[in-house]
Structures are given as C-alpha cells and as structure tokens.
C-alpha cells in the first residue's frame, strides 16, 4: 500500500501534466482558428468553431472539476 505522501505526489504530478497538456491543446486550437478567421484578440469568434479548442476546454474543465471534488 502506498503512503499518503506518495499518493499526493503522484496526484500532483499527474494533474499538473494533465492541465498543462490541456492548455497546449487549447492554444493549438486558438492558433489554428486564427489562421482561418479573425483572431480572438481582435474580437473574432472563429475559435468557437474549432474542435481542438473545445477539446482543450473540456479537458481543463474536467480537470478542474475533479480537483475541486465535483467529479465524485
């Protein structure tokens, strides 16, 4: 059986990796959407039609929900 310290370390590292990767996916979606329409910084909404951006948003929302206890 793992000690509480090891469990905490594994959870912290895995959540950091998961959240970091979701930001990368979201950023790639924003860049892809910016190449095809008006950039979000210029008032465009083309990122809302980009599935890659939505994948990043869903991933980060799922991560946040699980960390705050809403996923239980």
């Amino acid at each position: 059986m793992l000690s509480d310290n090891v469990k905490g370390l594994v959870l912290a590292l895995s959540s950091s990796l998961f959240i970091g990767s979701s930001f990368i996916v979201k950023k790639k979606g924003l860049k892809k959407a910016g190449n095809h329409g008006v950039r979000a910084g210029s008032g465009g909404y083309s990122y809302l039609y980009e599935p890659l951006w939505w994948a990043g948003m869903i991933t980060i929302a799922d991560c946040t929900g699980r960390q705050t206890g809403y996923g239980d």
Side-chain angles (χ1 to χ4, degrees):
M1 186 159 279
L2 295 173
S3 72
D4 288 338
N5 289 341
V6 173
K7 287 180 188 177
L9 179 64
V10 169
L11 285 172
L13 291 175
S14 64
S15 68
S16 178
L17 179 71
F18 200 58
I19 289 172
S21 62
S22 69
F23 277 117
I24 291 170
V25 170
K26 195 169 73 168
K27 181 66 173 180
K28 284 185 179 269
L30 281 173
K31 291 184 111 181
K32 188 175 177 183
N35 290 336
H36 300 296
V38 180
R39 296 182 58 86
S42 300
Y45 297 102
S46 61
Y47 64 93
L48 293 174
Y49 298 109
E50 181 57 51
L52 197 57
W53 182 82
W54 281 107
M57 285 301 291
I58 290 168
T59 305
I60 192 69
D62 183 54
C63 248
T64 306
R66 289 181 191 274
Q67 286 181 348
T68 56
Y70 292 117
D72 293 336

